Amino acid sequence: MRVLGIESSCDETGAAVVELEMGATPHLLSNALVSQIDIHKEYGGVVPEIAARSHIEAVIPIVDKAVREASTASDPWSDIDAIAVTYGAGLGGSLLVGTLTARTLAILKKKPLYAINHVEGHVYANFIDSKPPEFPLLALIVSGGHSQLVLFRDHFDYTLLGKTVDDAIGEAFDKVAKILGLPYPGGPSIAKAATLGNPDAYHLPKSKVEGAYNFSFSGLKTATLRLCQELAGKDFTFPSFGLAGLLNASQRHDVAASFQRIAIETVVDKTVAAFNEFSPTSVVIAGGVAANSELRSQLSSRLTIPIEYAPAELCTDNGAMISCLGCYHALLDTNPADPYTLAIEPNLKMKTLQS
Ligand code: KG4
Ligand code: ZN
């Protein structure tokens, strides 16, 4: 089974082909990606209209590249058995580009179409070209748009244990980086600055929220802003964009390290609690923030089994994870989507069996 996966939910246009035989390990045959990071850098965050327009320019060449690189046949499409596409969650305009492309190709090339939940897709980055994690599987999914703790009993059979009640953790990294004048995307910038700082330099609060496995990051973000205002000798009315220039390098590094420690501890505490309650066979971390080495080391040191994570380029958004989950959909025979009617769902939730 070879599946072409298309991803365009935010600011990366991805297309990839993954091959999977029943009982084997999913194998990546091609993985094409166009990142818009350099375009959005100028604005300090993703501008939805620009993202959608950039996807339009990138999507056809990217799909063509992925399909060609995966095959030696004279008609490379003859090797593709199905198409999988992210239809939610994400930015509306961005999702439309990938979804309409996939729908059109499914009709033209006469291939079954599978609608993929982006957040669920992140978990499947961990299945590619390595021994697939075993069920029951506890997944911490942490990215720019999502922070969720999910218990998978099997493919497509899972329970959402908890999620953020406000900002996603990656969003908090991005916002704090902006306050500190560090470049977009903020996660890698904070992680880099933190290596030069003292994680115990400042006391920042760890939020307490209702629900054993829910997270919150907006209080930590505001506390970090107040700390920077205080260090700069300003009051709470002073605008965040004026602060970076008033802090010296060592203060910026210490704030980055102290913020990162608490943000990561917040998700690690809940993951460890879920591990103790549910005793899963595997623990995986997924999503852009799974590339964070502080997360990897804090979690590894507090669990009794090794954690599993994908290479950094498969943690952030990509087409490979969508193809991989698409392979399981195709092999396990779930219902394909109707290419004439599949609609995007920008606010798509993790659907539990009960919902
Ligand atoms: O999964 P992703 O590419 O897109 C979403 O689905 O949101 O994740 C992007 C997020 C951004 O917020 C980025 O700052 C964060 O992942 N990120 C990191 C690191 N690398 C990317 N956060 C912390 N540490 C990193 N090394
Ligand atoms: Zn993502």
Side-chain angles (χ1 to χ4, degrees):
M1 180 63 64
R2 285 185 181 194
V3 175
L4 163 70
I6 301 176
E7 158 62 36
S8 72
S9 65
C10 189
D11 59 347
E12 324 275 355
T13 323
V17 178
V18 169
E19 180 177 52
L20 176 62
E21 303 306 334
M22 196 53 112
T25 296
H27 176 50
L28 187 59
L29 294 171
S30 65
N31 189 18
L33 190 83
V34 169
S35 171
Q36 303 173 10
I37 283 179
D38 287 342
I39 301 173
H40 298 291
K41 217 170 208 162
E42 198 181 320
Y43 306 96
V46 178
V47 184
E49 289 79 7
I50 298 178
R53 250 180 285 146
S54 305
H55 283 304
I56 292 172
E57 285 168 20
V59 73
I60 299 292
I62 277 288
V63 166
D64 192 52
K65 187 166 187 265
V67 172
R68 278 177 201 286
E69 283 181 6
S71 170
T72 50
S74 57
D75 172 15
W77 278 95
S78 63
D79 280 342
I80 300 291
D81 298 304
I83 299 174
V85 66
T86 302
Y87 78 113
L91 300 170
S94 292
L95 287 168
L96 266 180
V97 179
T99 304
L100 285 173
T101 305
R103 286 173 53 184
T104 309
L105 287 169
I107 295 166
L108 272 176
K109 307 286 184 187
K110 300 189 174 55
K111 309 286 179 189
L113 177 66
Y114 293 95
I116 303 293
N117 180 328
H118 176 83
V119 182
E120 206 180 320
H122 269 299
V123 175
Y124 281 75
N126 292 278
F127 285 64
I128 300 171
D129 285 317
S130 69
K131 188 174 157 286
E134 284 175 34
F135 297 104
L137 178 170
L138 178 65
L140 173 67
I141 310 164
V142 275
S143 74
H146 319 277
S147 306
Q148 292 165 348
L149 204 47
V150 185
L151 185 67
F152 283 75
R153 283 169 292 274
D154 203 343
H155 299 291
F156 321 122
D157 177 7
Y158 54 80
T159 301
L160 175 64
L161 301 177
K163 60 182 171 51
T164 180
V165 297
D166 40 56
D167 295 349
I169 182 171
E171 197 179 344
F173 268 84
D174 294 337
K175 286 179 180 161
V176 168
K178 220 168 172 176
I179 296 170
L180 296 177
L182 300 171
Y184 174 85
S189 303
I190 292 269
K192 195 169 157 208
T195 59
L196 304 168
N198 172 6
D200 298 310
Y202 303 115
H203 177 75
L204 288 163
K206 208 187 297 177
S207 63
K208 291 192 176 58
V209 278
E210 270 187 44
Y213 301 114
N214 284 341
F215 316 111
S216 163
F217 296 99
S218 75
L220 172 60
K221 186 189 65 191
T222 307
T224 309
L225 172 62
R226 296 283 175 268
L227 169 65
C228 293
Q229 287 165 327
E230 203 183 306
L231 291 171
K234 303 289 179 187
D235 74 5
F236 70 94
T237 59
F238 192 80
S240 59
F241 59 80
L243 288 168
L246 300 176
L247 303 177
N248 64 39
S250 108
Q251 287 172 323
R252 286 198 301 271
H253 297 152
D254 286 348
V255 171
S258 303
F259 160 80
Q260 175 176 261
R261 181 173 68 82
I262 295 297
I264 295 297
E265 252 177 52
T266 305
V267 291
V268 169
D269 286 351
K270 301 291 169 105
T271 310
V272 172
F275 177 80
N276 291 337
E277 180 170 352
F278 299 104
S279 307
T281 307
S282 334
V283 176
V284 311
I285 53 173
V289 183
N292 185 276
S293 46
E294 173 75 12
L295 170 59
R296 294 174 177 189
S297 70
Q298 275 198 29
L299 199 52
S300 301
S301 70
R302 289 178 57 187
L303 291 179
T304 49
I305 62 171
I307 56 164
E308 299 180 45
Y309 46 82
E313 69 276 13
L314 293 182
C315 288
T316 46
D317 291 349
N318 63 82
M321 65 192 199
I322 305 303
S323 327
C324 184
L325 178 51
C327 284
Y328 285 100
H329 272 285
L331 273 181
L332 300 173
D333 226 1
T334 60
N335 290 334
D338 181 349
Y340 289 95
T341 57
L342 175 64
I344 59 163
E345 285 197 38
N347 296 317
L348 183 64
K349 303 280 179 285
M350 291 290 281
K351 286 180 183 151
T352 62
L353 271 194
Q354 296 79 26
S355 59

